């Protein structure tokens, strides 16, 4: 049992990112001091929204420069904190030529660097790590062998590799490293948040998050001819942020927490959005798997193995730990999708047909 003192600063790594910005907002609105790490605090465009959040909020924002692959670079931001929320990790799926350097090294070495600094700073009592359902399963086909046909926190992804699903591999290796480092000491405990696909409005236009790409691909007309039957667990970014904060301050929080409110296919998402945004070129049909398998490697840079193991499966997630132990309340899917789409229109990222 760990009671975190709210008068002490909270460190949030990767603070300018899509999810982390909402975490920072929640903490500042509660009146806390946030030690926010970014790669380069002089990049005005990347951090302007954080200063805007701090303006008028009850809490205080302090920015620190830190890079996942620079050992020791997080230590200054962690000094004095009892709670460290480690979100920084690349969430990029497309256009990766060197998965080790682009994904695995920053995720795994970065987590090790942050947690070693936690070991060196005597104030740290709890670490909340942004993991993913990608560290629970690798490919959708694994639902067929999941006990009870449901993905739970008991499961670990042991099918991804540097060559197949490298992002998922980066997440499972980073989470495993975190539990290993945690086990070797007793001053701080570890709680993980394992979200499915996060959607909902972004506080920044500067993020590289694949969440934004998924919505842009749906609404930009790029998938006008049709979409594969790819199903996702989906959760609102505001609930994901809230879960990190609840996990940070709940003395009894422990272990892993799947954050996933709904499951929907790309076509189901597009159908919900089309009812509200009829003038945008959203896809209207699902493509047969054999056709997707034929064209996807060239059209979308996706392997036939990925299509074989992920297209055509219905997913089920057990989110009961997030609801019963953290007290997360999930909003309806229509609100998450429509708020996200509206915000992207406002930001000029989506155009009418
Ligand atoms: P994001 O906006 O791209 O945030 C990623 C953050 O990581 C950015 O702040 C980025 O900093 C930072 N980062 C990347 N490489 C770094 C490096 N070498 N050194 C320091 N910082 C670095 O994406 P997000 O969706 O919010 O993802 C945040 C976390 O949630 C990640 O751990 C991701 O795996 C996890 N997650 C996301 C989803 C989802 O659907 N979005 C689902 C499950 C889990 P810069 O701004 O400097 O690039």
């Amino acid at each position: 049992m760990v009671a975190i003192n709210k008068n002490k600063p909270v460190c949030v790594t990767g603070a300018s990112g899509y999810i982390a910005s909402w975490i920072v907002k929640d903490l500042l609105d509660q009146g806390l001091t946030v030690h926010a790490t970014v790669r380069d605090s002089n990049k005005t465009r990347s951090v302007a929204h954080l200063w805007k959040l701090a303006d008028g909020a009850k809490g205080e924002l302090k920015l620190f420069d830190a890079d996942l692959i620079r050992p020791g670079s997080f230590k200054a931001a962690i000094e004095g904190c009892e709670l460290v929320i480690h979100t920084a990790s690349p969430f990029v799926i497309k256009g990766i030529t060197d998965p080790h350097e682009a994904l695995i090294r920053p995720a795994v070495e970065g987590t090790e660097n942050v947690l070693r600094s936690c070991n060196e700073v005597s104030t740290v009592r709890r670490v909340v790590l942004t993991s993913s359902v990608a560290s629970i399963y690798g490919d959708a086909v694994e639902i067929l062998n999941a006990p009870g046909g449901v993905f739970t926190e008991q499961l670990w992804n042991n099918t991804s590799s540097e060559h197949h699903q490298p992002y998922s591999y980066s997440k499972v290796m980073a989470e495993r490293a975190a539990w290993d480092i945690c086990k070797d000491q007793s001053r701080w405990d570890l709680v993980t948040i394992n979200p499915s696909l996060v959607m909902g409005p972004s506080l920044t236009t500067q993020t590289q998050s694949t969440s934004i790409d998924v919505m842009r691909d749906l609404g930009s007309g790029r998938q006008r001819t049709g979409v594969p039957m790819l199903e996702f667990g989906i959760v609102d970014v505001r609930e994901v942020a809230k879960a990190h904060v609840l996990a940070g301050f709940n003395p009894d929080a422990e272990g892993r927490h799947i954050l996933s409110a709904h499951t929907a296919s790309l076509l189901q998402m597009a159908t919900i959005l089309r009812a509200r945004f009829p003038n945008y070129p959203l896809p209207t049909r699902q493509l047969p798997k054999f056709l997707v398998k034929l064209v996807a490697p060239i059209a979308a840079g996706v392997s036939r193995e990925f299509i074989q193991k992920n297209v055509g499966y219905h997913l089920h997630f057990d989110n009961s730990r997030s609801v019963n132990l953290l007290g997360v309340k999930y909003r309806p899917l229509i609100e998450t999708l429509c708020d996200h789409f509206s915000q992207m229109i406002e930001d000029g990222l989506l155009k009418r047909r």
Side-chain angles (χ1 to χ4, degrees), residues 14-20 39 66-69 74 87-91 106 130-132 167 171 195-198 207-209 211:
S16 56
Y18 171 52
I19 295 173
R39 255 190 279 196
D67 195 305
L68 290 168
I69 52 174
F74 289 86
T87 83
S89 198
F91 180 31
T130 318
S131 186
S132 169
Y167 166 72
K171 292 307 286 180
S196 56
L197 178 64
V198 181
T207 165
Q208 305 292 309
S209 176
S211 294

Side-chain angles (χ1 to χ4, degrees), residues 57-103:
K58 284 190 279 171
E60 190 187 351
L61 178 72
K62 294 182 181 168
L63 287 191
F64 295 77
D65 286 359
D67 195 305
L68 290 168
I69 52 174
R70 225 173 56 234
S73 63
F74 289 86
K75 193 171 172 192
I78 294 171
E79 295 281 1
C81 298
E82 290 191 357
L83 174 60
V84 175
I85 301 180
H86 176 40
T87 83
S89 198
F91 180 31
V92 189
I93 306 277
K94 284 186 192 163
I96 300 286
T97 49
D98 183 344
H100 182 78
E101 283 303 307
L103 294 169

